[in-house]
Amino acid sequence: MSYVDSGSGEVILSIHGIFGGYDQAYDTCSDFSEKYRILAPSRFGYLGSDTMGSGTPKEQAKAYVELLDALGIPQVYVLATSAGGSVAIRLALDYPERIRGLILFCSAMPPAERPVKYIKYAGPPKFICNDYGMFLISPLFKSIMGMESSLINSMLPISKKRTGVVLDASVTNLDMIREFAKTP
């Protein structure tokens, strides 16, 4: 698992969103780095982090606890963005004693009722999950997703994040629906 560990004080575990990595996770919290220790790992399949098992949020949460144990960190504040929210929620549910607080930023929430059916893939189509494809559609980011086209600069190179993007679209983003019955 690749990560940034910077600063001192109470720890903020920053869990990045889709097309991210330790860089995006750190940037999310960098304004707090003078007062807090920022721990910003790459999630499974992103920038230097391998995938354990099937790459489920439950497995990712376990990997974060193993990282905290290895670094001797008993508790953290968790800040999660976008697709990282499913992992953060799973971390808080499975390891509540490790969490001092949870902040979800632009993250999905579990559904209010058990869904009758769900989609099988919730993310960008695989054929555009490459540097060229995303660069070509970046002028449409504003009209499609409400994001500036300059966001492409923080997403590239997608080739080093593609495994994580596809994992998010096929596993992470659907976890709260698929695991609805198992979520308290």
Side-chain angles (χ1 to χ4, degrees), residues 117-131:
K117 62 180 182 175
Y118 57 88
I119 59 176
K120 304 273 189 240
Y121 191 86
K126 292 177 189 177
F127 73 90
I128 62 167
C129 289
N130 60 69
D131 297 340

Side-chain angles (χ1 to χ4, degrees), residues 31-86:
D31 289 347
F32 306 114
S33 63
E34 289 190 27
K35 293 185 178 185
Y36 293 90
R37 178 178 175 186
I38 308 299
L39 183 58
S42 288
R43 292 189 297 112
F44 288 1
Y46 287 97
L47 297 181
S49 288
D50 293 333
T51 302
M52 270 180 23
S54 301
T56 65
K58 186 173 196 66
E59 292 165 326
Q60 292 185 57
K62 181 180 180 212
Y64 284 151
V65 169
E66 290 173 6
L67 176 62
L68 296 176
D69 288 346
L71 296 173
I73 301 171
Q75 286 190 316
V76 294
Y77 291 100
V78 177
L79 186 145
T81 58
S82 191
S86 294

Side-chain angles (χ1 to χ4, degrees), residues 21-35:
Y22 59 81
D23 54 346
Q24 183 192 84
Y26 181 77
D27 286 347
T28 301
C29 294
S30 62
D31 289 347
F32 306 114
S33 63
E34 289 190 27
K35 293 185 178 185

Side-chain angles (χ1 to χ4, degrees), residues 22 26 31 37 45 53 63 82 93-94 105 115 117 136 157 163 167-168 174 184:
Y22 59 81
Y26 181 77
D31 289 347
R37 178 178 175 186
S82 191
L93 289 171
D94 291 352
F105 182 68
K117 62 180 182 175
L136 282 179
T163 300
L167 182 64
D168 278 348
L174 302 170

Side-chain angles (χ1 to χ4, degrees), residues 45-172:
Y46 287 97
L47 297 181
S49 288
D50 293 333
T51 302
M52 270 180 23
S54 301
T56 65
K58 186 173 196 66
E59 292 165 326
Q60 292 185 57
K62 181 180 180 212
Y64 284 151
V65 169
E66 290 173 6
L67 176 62
L68 296 176
D69 288 346
L71 296 173
I73 301 171
Q75 286 190 316
V76 294
Y77 291 100
V78 177
L79 186 145
T81 58
S82 191
S86 294
V87 178
I89 291 169
R90 188 80 265 154
L91 179 64
L93 289 171
D94 291 352
Y95 305 95
E97 72 282 359
R98 303 303 290 266
I99 309 301
R100 295 183 60 102
L102 175 63
I103 300 168
L104 301 174
F105 182 68
C106 297
S107 297
M109 296 302 295
E113 297 178 1
R114 182 172 181 75
V116 176
K117 62 180 182 175
Y118 57 88
I119 59 176
K120 304 273 189 240
Y121 191 86
K126 292 177 189 177
F127 73 90
I128 62 167
C129 289
N130 60 69
D131 297 340
Y132 185 68
M134 290 305 287
F135 183 77
L136 282 179
I137 69 161
S138 64
L140 303 173
F141 283 3
K142 186 77 168 175
S143 60
I144 295 172
M145 300 174 283
M147 299 182 301
E148 296 299 324
S149 60
S150 61
L151 182 66
I152 190 69
N153 298 323
S154 68
M155 295 167 65
L156 295 174
I158 291 168
S159 58
K160 294 185 179 188
K161 303 172 184 180
R162 187 177 195 282
T163 300
V165 171
V166 172
L167 182 64
D168 278 348
S170 58
V171 177
T172 309

Side-chain angles (χ1 to χ4, degrees), residues 1-35:
M1 179 181 290
S2 294
Y3 61 92
V4 172
D5 184 358
S6 178
S8 61
E10 293 188 86
V11 181
I12 298 174
L13 172 64
S14 180
I15 303 177
H16 67 83
I18 198 166
F19 290 106
Y22 59 81
D23 54 346
Q24 183 192 84
Y26 181 77
D27 286 347
T28 301
C29 294
S30 62
D31 289 347
F32 306 114
S33 63
E34 289 190 27
K35 293 185 178 185

